[in-house]
Structure formats: structure tokens, C-alpha cells
Amino acid sequence: MILSGTTSSTDLDPNSKAAADATKLNEDLNRFLNLLVTQLKNQDPLDPMDSTEFTSQLVQFASVEQQINTNANIEKMLTLQQASQVADMVNFIGTTVEAKGDEVPLDNGKAEFTYEFASNADDVTITIRDASGLTVFSQDGETSSGKHTFTWDGKSAGGVQNTDGAYTVIVNALDVQGKVLDVDQTILGRVTGAGAEDGIVTLFLGDISTSMEKVLSVKESDPKTITTP
């Protein structure tokens, strides 16, 4: 059995878990070897130590070292895969996506979202709030079951035009008995960028972001809604 003892965090991504594990393993191995040498120096020549125990411990260190190397390789593969996904997502830039969520981008004075419930509602209220939580728009919504699309022109009830940015849409639906209905909401927005963090690949829709897992559909953006510098 050969224990390399050379698993170094400097050979790994310093931000990876494998690098932290390698550092801890080397520290533990050094302490073990120092203790082993001390024990061998001070053992009774007439009653020497049984080599089975420390050999078993060395085997465990070797096994851990191999696992760290395996984990490091897996992390590298995931990083490459993630980079590949981000590269592929460049193709999304400029398209319009529909994604699950209630935070919608107001882009060029237009925000679009959908809401859906399984059964007819008796009362539906659509409320839009800005980033500070202030209500900037409120209106009654469609009460029939099914999916409804709503386009907001960015204006408040008083006709004041709100600035482009992120807004939260709240759709409250009540049935004839006054019970709250479950509402499924989606938002639509033009993709302006893509990125990845902690293994999650993300699309940016102006000032908001959404993970690929939440994207339901992709379509070509309307050229009329795209402004050029």
C-alpha cells in the first residue's frame, strides 16, 4: 500500500470543497504520522507494537485521499458542464420566456404576466407593488376559470408612469363562499443575460432573474418591444 500524502489544496480550486477536505486530510495525516513516530521511538523492544492497527489507519487515510481526488474530478466536471450550459443559454438572449413566479420586469413601460385558477372565482384582485413594497397599481381581474394574460402599461391609477424595473404581482381570488382559491402565476420577460452560481443556471430578465427550472416556454421577442442604443 502506498499513501501519497501529496493531496494538496493548491492543486485544486481553492473555492472547492475538495480543496478544504484535502487541507484537513493533510493536517490529520501529519498529526497521525508524528504520533506514530513517537510511539515507535518509545515502544518496548520486548513487546513491540502490533502493526495491524496503524496499518489499518493508513489504509483509511489512503481511502479518504482517493475519495477527495474523485470528488475534485466530479467538481471539475460539474464546473465544465455548468459553463457549457451558460454558453448554450446565450442563445436565449433577446428571446421572451414565460416562467413560474410573481416578480415581473417592467421593460420599456410594459409588463406581462398570467394567472390561472381551476374553478370560477367570485372576486379577483390584481395588485402590483414596487421594490419597496408600495402598491402602485390595483385592478379587478377575470373571474372565469382557466389561464388569463394581463399586460400592464406601467401606469398607476393616477396615470403616473412608473420606472422600468422589478415589480411584484399579487393575484387574490375568492370563490362565492369567500374562500381563497389557489392561483398559479407566471411572468413573461425578455432575456437580457445569463449566468450561473452554486450550480444553478439563471436567466436575467432586466432587473429580475429566474432559474431554468422555472422556464415554461421560449419565443422570439417582438421586434417592436426591443430598443437599440
Side-chain angles (χ1 to χ4, degrees), residues 27-198:
E27 292 174 352
D28 291 345
L29 179 59
N30 288 333
R31 281 194 292 267
F32 171 75
L33 293 177
N34 288 333
L35 178 60
L36 177 60
V37 170
T38 301
Q39 288 178 323
L40 291 174
K41 286 181 178 179
N42 295 278
Q43 68 178 330
D44 184 352
L46 300 178
D47 185 20
M49 292 174 54
D50 183 0
S51 62
T52 303
E53 182 177 352
F54 64 77
T55 300
S56 174
Q57 291 174 320
L58 286 173
V59 170
Q60 292 178 24
F61 276 110
S63 176
V64 172
E65 182 183 40
Q66 291 174 359
Q67 186 60 54
I68 289 174
N69 290 331
T70 299
N71 291 344
N73 289 331
I74 292 175
E75 288 179 349
K76 289 178 181 178
M77 291 176 60
L78 291 175
T79 299
L80 291 173
Q81 182 182 30
Q82 182 172 285
S84 175
Q85 287 177 319
V86 173
D88 291 341
M89 290 175 67
V90 171
N91 296 324
F92 283 83
I93 296 177
T95 63
T96 296
V97 300
E98 180 183 3
K100 296 179 181 179
D102 57 8
E103 191 176 26
V104 64
L106 181 63
D107 185 14
N108 295 322
K110 177 183 176 182
E112 192 173 7
F113 56 90
T114 75
Y115 57 97
E116 181 179 8
F117 22 83
S119 58
N120 291 338
D122 184 61
D123 181 70
V124 176
T125 303
I126 299 172
T127 302
I128 299 178
R129 296 176 180 173
D130 62 17
S132 64
L134 179 67
T135 297
V136 296
F137 178 84
S138 183
Q139 178 178 305
D140 291 339
E142 298 287 340
T143 57
S144 58
S145 62
K147 188 174 184 177
H148 305 281
T149 300
F150 189 92
T151 301
W152 180 45
D153 60 6
K155 296 180 180 179
S156 60
V160 177
Q161 182 66 48
N162 290 276
T163 58
D164 284 358
Y167 292 82
T168 301
V169 179
I170 302 171
V171 180
N172 288 320
L174 303 176
D175 63 15
V176 292
Q177 297 177 332
K179 295 182 179 179
V180 177
L181 296 176
D182 291 331
V183 181
D184 293 325
Q185 294 181 226
T186 69
I187 58 96
L188 292 95
R190 183 170 57 88
V191 179
T192 56
E197 185 176 357
D198 297 330

